[in-house]
Amino acid sequence: MSFSYEELAEIRHYIHQHPELSGQEYQTTAFLKERLEELGIHILESGLKTGLIAEIGSDQPVVALRADIDALPILEQTNLPYKSQNPGVMHACGHDFHQTSLLGAAALLKEKEDQLEGTVRLIFQPAEEISEGASDVLATGLLEDVQGIIGFHNIPQLKAGQLALNAGAMMAGVEKFKVTVTGVSSHAARPDLGVDTVTAVTTMVQNLQLLISRTVSPFETAVLSITHLDVGSTWNVLPKSGYFEGTIRSFNPSVQRELKEHFVSIVRHIAKSLEVDVAFEWGVTPPVTFNDEELTKVVWEASQDLAEVLPANPSTAGEDFAFYQERIPGVFAFIGSNGEPDAPDLHHDHMTIDDAAFEVSVPYYVENSQALLRYFKAKEV
């Protein structure tokens, strides 16, 4: 039993109507499990709270296919007949499309099971949006024997029928920071009796804006964005404490490390000069999504008959697929999902998917998983 593209569109629309936040994908997991069981696909005991791992085929080699399943805390503003029925939660990143694509691929691979030259492991991963799901999947131990892993993300700026790919960096490494600054509160009329947290926070923010332009080579790409600050609560009091937070991103792990070191140094020097205390919090964030050179060649070649294959423009967004690639050689592609000039981007409350994109996403999984199995089987000889 395999699904037509029309049936996959209906499945995606149902999933789109019932989005669930990261770590809360209970109904989504139950729905996927039911569909996989109907297909006769073996679901592995993983211990995952949400999400699941299944497999098709047998013996070595083993390759994995990954799709994420969580949604975002966004109030959908589309007029789609299948818009979210869960107010304030929306599949605004296209994970409904990703998981449906893998479900469609699973059905086709199950039909080919006797012809597979190894095992294909299917990962329906939770909690990508909070960068925790991949680590949870890795912690199950069910990927220890996997030799290669494939994933993709839809890109609204590309047309359905297009696929973009590169060896090396595809998505940025991400650092999420929060800096808490503590001084001494006083009346605004007697700043000499306090230690001014407002001045310290604003001085740090201003100086950090020079970090990229004065420490990173012009031949590298990096971003530092301070997106939120909170200090003070009224007009006539110097506050005791405040904080600011944001993100650092680049495509080069060494640049990322150096930026973090410079960031900490700047903040600490200003804190010392202005006599305030500082505390740093670093979020759980993914490293650079970095495609294996040899496996990218295999996927590039196998994808030629599936889509218009283009060189990718790396994205400064982050992707926790990178955690798999730290342990397993992997390939991550971009697949076109809209292509209209004014198409809303990912994480937008009007973001939409062109269901014609299934004609690339499903065979991307199917053909490339088989191509990698053949590649690894040939290396065994």
Side-chain angles (χ1 to χ4, degrees):
M1 169 189 171
S2 59
F3 300 106
S4 68
Y5 290 130
E6 290 77 13
E7 289 172 321
L8 288 178
E10 291 175 5
I11 291 170
R12 183 184 78 80
H13 297 175
Y14 174 83
I15 293 172
H16 188 90
Q17 284 182 299
H18 301 90
E20 295 176 292
L21 295 175
S22 304
Q24 302 176 29
E25 311 95 330
Y26 296 102
Q27 292 183 11
T28 304
T29 301
F31 176 83
L32 292 167
K33 183 177 180 182
E34 182 180 355
R35 293 297 173 272
L36 291 169
E37 288 175 340
E38 288 173 354
L39 295 169
I41 293 173
H42 178 52
I43 299 173
L44 302 176
E45 182 55 50
S46 66
L48 291 170
K49 184 177 69 170
T50 56
L52 59 87
I53 305 171
E55 69 178 16
I56 300 167
S58 60
D59 301 325
Q60 295 292 319
V62 181
V63 300
L65 307 178
R66 176 270 204 172
D68 35 20
I69 66 173
D70 53 333
L72 286 158
I74 292 175
L75 179 64
E76 182 165 358
Q77 299 294 333
T78 72
N79 293 315
L80 295 170
Y82 53 88
K83 70 181 294 185
S84 172
Q85 296 180 4
N86 186 359
V89 183
M90 178 188 177
H91 272 298
C93 201
H95 295 186
D96 52 337
F97 171 65
H98 300 171
Q99 61 188 292
T100 307
S101 299
L102 185 53
L103 186 63
L108 290 170
L109 287 166
K110 182 64 177 177
E111 290 183 344
K112 302 170 178 282
E113 188 166 25
D114 293 342
Q115 304 161 37
L116 295 178
E117 298 185 47
T119 301
V120 179
R121 206 151 288 158
L122 312 171
I123 304 167
F124 291 88
Q125 183 207 298
E128 187 278 331
E129 295 293 355
I130 59 174
S131 300
E132 294 181 2
S135 297
D136 290 342
V137 170
L138 287 164
T140 68
L142 294 175
L143 273 60
E144 295 294 330
D145 58 346
V146 172
Q147 293 173 253
I149 186 166
I150 302 172
F152 80 85
H153 206 291
N154 81 92
I155 298 293
Q157 290 74 30
L158 294 176
K159 298 177 182 178
Q162 292 180 320
L163 182 153
L165 185 63
N166 274 338
M170 284 288 288
M171 301 187 76
V174 178
E175 293 283 359
K176 175 185 176 184
F177 61 79
K178 179 179 180 181
V179 179
T180 300
V181 181
T182 305
V184 177
S185 180
S186 71
H187 195 294
R190 291 297 307 272
D192 56 305
L193 300 179
V195 177
D196 191 350
T197 301
V198 175
T199 297
V201 167
T202 55
T203 301
M204 291 171 186
V205 169
Q206 284 186 311
N207 280 268
L208 287 169
Q209 299 304 325
L210 301 173
L211 182 58
I212 301 295
S213 65
R214 290 299 173 263
T215 63
V216 177
S217 165
F219 301 105
E220 296 281 358
T221 300
V223 173
L224 185 150
S225 292
I226 296 170
T227 56
H228 180 209
L229 59 87
D230 190 334
V231 57
S233 59
T234 190
W235 70 280
N236 61 350
V237 177
L238 293 183
K240 179 181 178 180
S241 64
Y243 69 87
F244 62 93
E245 57 187 343
T247 182
I248 302 169
R249 298 167 186 246
S250 78
F251 298 117
N252 185 324
S254 64
V255 169
Q256 193 83 352
R257 286 191 299 271
E258 290 170 7
L259 278 171
K260 187 173 180 179
E261 291 170 2
H262 286 305
F263 179 96
V264 171
S265 177
I266 289 170
V267 170
R268 284 182 172 159
H269 277 90
I270 293 171
K272 183 177 180 180
S273 68
L274 296 180
E275 299 182 332
V276 296
D277 294 323
V278 290
F280 299 89
E281 296 176 45
W282 299 94
V284 177
T285 49
V288 178
T289 303
F290 199 88
N291 283 347
D292 180 84
E293 185 172 354
E294 287 302 313
L295 298 192
T296 299
K297 291 177 183 177
V298 175
V299 172
W300 180 281
E301 183 62 32
S303 297
Q304 293 300 313
D305 294 333
L306 312 178
E308 179 188 0
V309 183
L310 308 169
N313 292 318
S315 168
T316 50
E319 168 58 70
D320 83 347
F321 187 83
F323 288 119
Y324 298 118
Q325 291 177 310
E326 286 189 314
R327 302 196 195 181
I328 306 164
V331 179
F332 195 78
F334 297 148
I335 290 179
S337 58
N338 194 306
E340 295 298 324
D342 58 349
D345 203 357
L346 304 173
H347 292 216
H348 193 287
D349 57 12
H350 281 78
M351 189 263 187
T352 58
I353 296 280
D354 181 350
D355 287 315
F358 282 123
E359 297 180 27
V360 171
S361 63
V362 173
Y364 167 79
Y365 279 136
V366 174
E367 299 305 321
N368 284 300
S369 59
Q370 294 179 94
L372 288 189
L373 286 177
R374 292 192 294 269
Y375 170 80
F376 288 119
K377 180 68 75 172
K379 290 187 71 174
E380 293 175 357
V381 177

